[in-house]
Amino acid sequence: KLTLYTIARTIPITVLPLPATNRMTPSTPGYQPIPSAEGSEPMELTRESSTNISNDGDGNGGGNRTQNRGQILAMCASAILLLILAFLGGRHSTAITPKTIPTVLPPRDDESLYEAVPNRLCEIYHDNDNTNVRIIQTSLGEPSKQWSEVACIHRERSRKLPTSSQQPSDEDGGYARPSAIINVDFTKVAFPERQPILGFGGAFTEAAALNFGSLNEEGQKVAMELLFGRDGLGYSLGRTHINSCDFCVQSYSFDDTEDDFTLDNFDNEVTHDLDSGMVDMMLLATKTTKESYPAESEYGMRIIASPWSPPSWMKAPTENDVEGALHAEDMTGSAQPVCLRDGVGSDSKYAKSWALFFSKFISAYANHGIDFYGVTIQNEPEFPAPWDACSFDPESQGEFIVNHLGPTLSESHPNTKILIFDHNKDHIVKWANFLLDKHNAASKYIDGTAFHWYAGGMDRLLDGAQGNPNMHRLLSELDVMNVDKGHILLGSEACHCPSTGYAGGNMGIAWARATRNAHTMLADLAAGGNGNIEWNLILDSVGGPNHLGNMCDSPLLAVPHRALDAEDIPDQLEFEHAGHPFGEVKGDNKTREELNAEGVPAKYLDLGIVVQPMYYYVGHITRFVRPGSRAVHALVDSSIAGPKSRTFRPKEQDVPGGGINDLARVGIEATLWPCEGSTRQEWLLNEEKQLQVFGHDWLGAPTTSCLGRRADKDLGGLMLTSCDVAEGDSGLFEVVPLSEKHRVTIVLKNSKVDSKKSCLVAQPLMNNGGAYGPRGGAQVNIGSCEHAWAEWVFDPSTGEIYSTIFDEFGGEVCLTTGWPFLQVGAFDTSATGNTANAAVILNEAGETANYVFKNKEKAILTGSIPPHSIQTVSFD
C-alpha cells in the first residue's frame, strides 16, 4: 500500500512576541505553543493543500498556485508512479552484492512530477563506477523497522550540459521543503597524523555479568551476538573495574589484609570476578569479536581497567569516619585532595603498594587469558563520590605516576597503556596541560587521556551536551606541547541516569536518550576522539544492581521473567536490592506486541532481553565505523536559498521549524552552526533586553533560558543561564545598527568593562573545528566591538542572529542553542576492509529534512530523513 504524503507539518514550537510582525502574541509571558497540525496521519491531497505546495508553470514558485482537479489527479498519479519506482529500486538494491550496481534509471526529465511531494525521494546518481551506495535507517516514525534499508532510485548522471532536469538539484525543484546541503570530502581526513579510531564498546561490570548470567543459554548466546557479533553492534572495546565499583552488589577488594604492603595475600585468582561471571563474559566477548571480525583478530577486544577505590586500609580517613581513625572505614567516599593514606610521594608505602596492586591485578587477568589494553589511573578523580571512590588532583596524580605506577608497569607490564584523567570534559584541558607538559616527569609514562560524557551537576539532561569545544582545545594543546601523535583520546564512560527507558515506559524519552548517544559519539569523533565506551553492557529492568542505588540505563536490559520459557522467575532477582525506586516498571505492564510496535523487538523479549532504541542508534555508527576508520571533513550546510529559505523554514514562512527545542535549558553552550531555520536558532530580545530562548525538556515541561553575560570559566564560551534578572547571570543587550545595511553589534549593557569591549563576538574553535571545520560549533563570547567578529545580522521576524565572519569557509552561521537538529559525521573506512566510506546523518527535529549529499562538491545522492531518525550511508 502506497500513501501519498502532502505537507503535514507539526510545529509544536514556541511563538515569541516580536514587534512589527504578524506572529502570535502569547497569552502568558514568555511562552505560547502553536497548535499542532490537525491529525497525526498523512493528510489527503486536496485542492487546498496542493495549492499550498505547488509551483507555477515555470517551476519557480509564486505566481498562480491554483490547480484544477485534473492536474491534481495527474500529479497524484505521477507521484505514486515515482514512489512505486522508488520502492522497486529499493527492493532491487537490498538484494545486490557489494560489487554489483542495481538497475540504473536514466536522468529524470520532468520536474513537475515532484511538485506534489514535500519530501525528497531517495535518488542515487552514478558515474559508471562500481560504487554501491546503501542507506540504512532507524526512525521513530517506524520504530519496529530498525536498521532497515531505504528504497532508492538509482540513476545515471547525465554527461550532457547540466540542467535542472538532468542533474541532482540543489534547488527545491518543486519540493515543498528546502534541502540542506550535506558537504563531505572523503579524501580529506581530519587528523591524518593521529591514531585512527580504535572502536566502540561497553563495560564489563559485576552488574553486567550478573544480568548476562540471568539469561537462559539461548538468551546469553543471542546477547553476545547482539553486543559483539557481526550482525550486532560489533563492539571491540571494553572496560572493567579494579576492585568494586558502584555497579556491584557490594564493595570488595582483592586484598583486605591491613598493611600487607607486598600484597602477599592478594587473590591472584580474582575469585570474586570469576564467581560473578565477569571473567567468562570477557573471554566469550573476545571469542565472539575475533570470530565475527577475523581481519581485526590481531587485537580482538581491547579492554581497559579502571579503579574506583583501593582497599580501605590504604585510604586516608574521610569526613564521615570517626575522629582519630587511622584509615577509612570502607571503600566509599574519599579524603581530599588525595585519598591515599600517606600521600603519593616517593616514600609513600601505601602509594607504592597501590601501584603494585595494579600490576598484580593485570597479571591475574592475564593468567585467565585476558590481556588488558590499558588502565586509567582513577575513575572520576575529582569526585569524592558516595560510592567507591578515590580523589586525586592533577599534581597528586602526576606524582603517583612518576613515583610509583609508571615505573612499576614499565617493568612488569610494558605493553599496558596508561591513560590519565577519566573524568568530565570541563577540566580535561587543565589536566592535560599539567600532566602532558614535557617538563613533567610523569608525561613519559602517559599514553592517552580518558574522558566521560557527564555534565557533572544534578541536571542529567545535560549529560552528553557539554564540553565539545574543550575537546578541540585539547587537540590544539597536544600540538602546542608536541605530544606524541599516538596519544589516545578515549571516551571511557557514558550512560543515561536515572533508571531505564523500559522502566519509564515513555518511548519519546527512550528515543531522546538514543539521539543524545549518537550526537555525542559523532561530535567526539569529529573533535579527534579515538573511540567510545558505553557504561554497563546490560542491566536489569530498573538499571541495576548498584549498591548505592545509582540506577542507570544501558542498551540491553535483562528481563528473564519475560522469556517464553520463564517459570517462577520474579521480576527482580536476588542480587537487586533497590526494589522499585522510581515506581512500577511500566515496560512490564506492556504486552510483547505493544513493545514490539514501540521498537523493542518481541523476538528478543521472548529470550528475556529488552533491546532499547539507543542500541540501534549506536549501531548506526559501530557497525560501519570499524577500528581503523578515520573521521573526514563533513558538515550539514544551509539550503542554498539563503536567509529567505532554510532547511526547516520554507520561504514565505517566518516561524522557525524543526519542532520543540529541547536544548533551551540552563547549562547549554551557545554555539555557531550553519543556519537551518529551526527553533534551536530562534532568539527573542525580550522586554528586559535579554536574548531569550524557549522550548520543552524531554518530559514535556516548558523551559526557557537566556544568554549569559560571561564565559564559563571551564568551558570557555557563553552559556544559557537563568532569565531571572535578580540573579545577575544573564546578559542585558542592546542591538546597535551599523552603517552597513542590516549589520548590527549586540552590546552587553551590564558589563563591568568598557562598552567598546563588551560586544557579542564569534569565538573560533581551536583545532580548526576538527572534522566539522570552523563553522561547526564555534563559540560566542564577549569582546571588542571594533572587530569583524562582533558584526551580526539580527532578524526579529525569524529570531535568527547570524554572522558572515566564516563566509570564506562556506557561508553564514547562526547563533544556536547547543547544536543544530540536523547533523552528520563522515568516515574513511577503507582501511577496515568492510566498506570504502560511511556517513551518519542524524535528525533530532520533529520534522522531515530534505538534503542533497555531496562529496567534494559533487552531488551523489538526494533524499530526506524523517523526524527523530538516523541514517547511515555506506559506500562499498
Side-chain angles (χ1 to χ4, degrees), residues 344-361:
V344 290
S346 58
D347 58 350
S348 170
K349 295 181 294 185
Y350 295 98
K352 181 178 181 180
S353 184
W354 183 223
L356 179 61
F357 200 107
F358 275 74
S359 179
K360 292 181 78 72
F361 180 84

Side-chain angles (χ1 to χ4, degrees), residues 106 122 148 239 270 299 375 389 426 698 715 750:
C122 176
S148 59
R239 184 178 183 226
V270 286
Y299 46 81
V375 295
D426 52 352
W698 293 354
L715 300 176
N750 55 337

Side-chain angles (χ1 to χ4, degrees), residues 155-388:
R155 293 185 179 278
E156 289 181 352
R157 189 188 305 273
S158 173
R159 299 297 184 182
K160 301 177 182 179
L161 293 175
T163 67
S164 62
S165 64
Q166 293 170 338
Q167 297 291 340
S169 176
D170 294 350
E171 305 285 353
D172 299 341
Y175 292 98
R177 302 179 190 273
S179 295
I181 309 299
I182 299 179
N183 283 313
V184 174
D185 188 342
F186 286 117
T187 67
K188 193 175 181 181
V189 174
F191 312 100
E193 297 180 351
R194 299 197 68 250
Q195 283 224 42
I197 292 168
L198 298 175
F200 309 91
F204 298 91
T205 60
E206 181 183 17
L210 291 172
N211 279 293
F212 177 75
S214 73
L215 302 173
N216 60 33
E217 183 178 352
E218 181 64 17
Q220 291 184 21
K221 180 180 177 181
V222 169
M224 193 56 55
E225 178 63 29
L226 284 168
L227 292 168
F228 304 101
R230 196 174 190 91
D231 294 329
L233 296 181
Y235 274 170
S236 57
L237 297 181
R239 184 178 183 226
T240 194
H241 41 87
I242 300 174
N243 292 335
S244 56
C245 70
D246 52 324
F247 277 91
C248 295
V249 176
Q250 60 185 11
S251 296
Y252 69 89
S253 164
F254 293 110
D255 190 342
D256 289 320
T257 303
E258 189 162 344
D259 291 343
D260 179 16
F261 296 112
T262 57
L263 302 182
D264 294 334
N265 294 302
F266 184 91
D267 179 7
N268 292 306
E269 292 296 315
V270 286
T271 304
H272 185 282
D273 293 1
L274 276 173
D275 292 345
S276 67
M278 291 170 61
V279 173
D280 286 342
M281 190 180 183
M282 290 182 222
L283 289 171
L284 188 54
T286 301
K287 178 176 181 291
T288 304
T289 298
K290 288 184 175 181
E291 290 176 351
S292 298
Y293 294 92
E296 302 171 10
S297 62
E298 70 174 274
Y299 46 81
M301 284 291 297
R302 292 181 172 116
I303 302 175
I304 63 171
S306 302
W308 267 243
S309 173
S312 59
W313 59 268
M314 291 187 184
K315 297 176 66 173
T318 72
E319 61 182 13
N320 295 323
D321 292 317
V322 298
E323 185 176 354
L326 295 177
H327 59 75
E329 181 179 348
D330 53 41
M331 294 170 64
T332 58
S334 176
Q336 298 274 59
V338 59
C339 81
L340 291 170
R341 193 164 161 183
D342 59 351
V344 290
S346 58
D347 58 350
S348 170
K349 295 181 294 185
Y350 295 98
K352 181 178 181 180
S353 184
W354 183 223
L356 179 61
F357 200 107
F358 275 74
S359 179
K360 292 181 78 72
F361 180 84
I362 295 169
S363 296
Y365 262 81
N367 291 335
H368 290 299
I370 298 169
D371 295 315
F372 287 121
Y373 177 71
V375 295
T376 68
I377 311 300
Q378 171 61 42
N379 175 76
E380 298 186 347
E382 296 185 317
F383 184 30
W387 46 80
D388 315 67

Side-chain angles (χ1 to χ4, degrees), residues 1-11 35-53 72 76 79-80 83 116-119 176-177:
K1 179 181 178 182
L2 296 173
T3 304
L4 178 63
Y5 288 74
T6 68
I7 300 178
R9 298 180 70 247
T10 300
I11 317 177
S36 301
E38 293 184 4
S40 58
E41 296 295 319
M43 297 165 61
E44 293 183 1
L45 184 63
T46 63
R47 179 184 301 273
E48 180 180 354
S49 60
S50 67
T51 298
N52 290 336
I53 65 175
I72 295 172
C76 286
I80 291 173
L83 291 172
V117 184
N119 306 324
R177 302 179 190 273

Side-chain angles (χ1 to χ4, degrees), residues 14-43:
T14 305
V15 177
L16 309 177
L18 293 171
T21 73
N22 58 359
R23 304 171 77 185
M24 294 172 60
T25 301
S27 57
T28 57
Y31 178 78
Q32 175 67 38
I34 293 179
S36 301
E38 293 184 4
S40 58
E41 296 295 319
M43 297 165 61

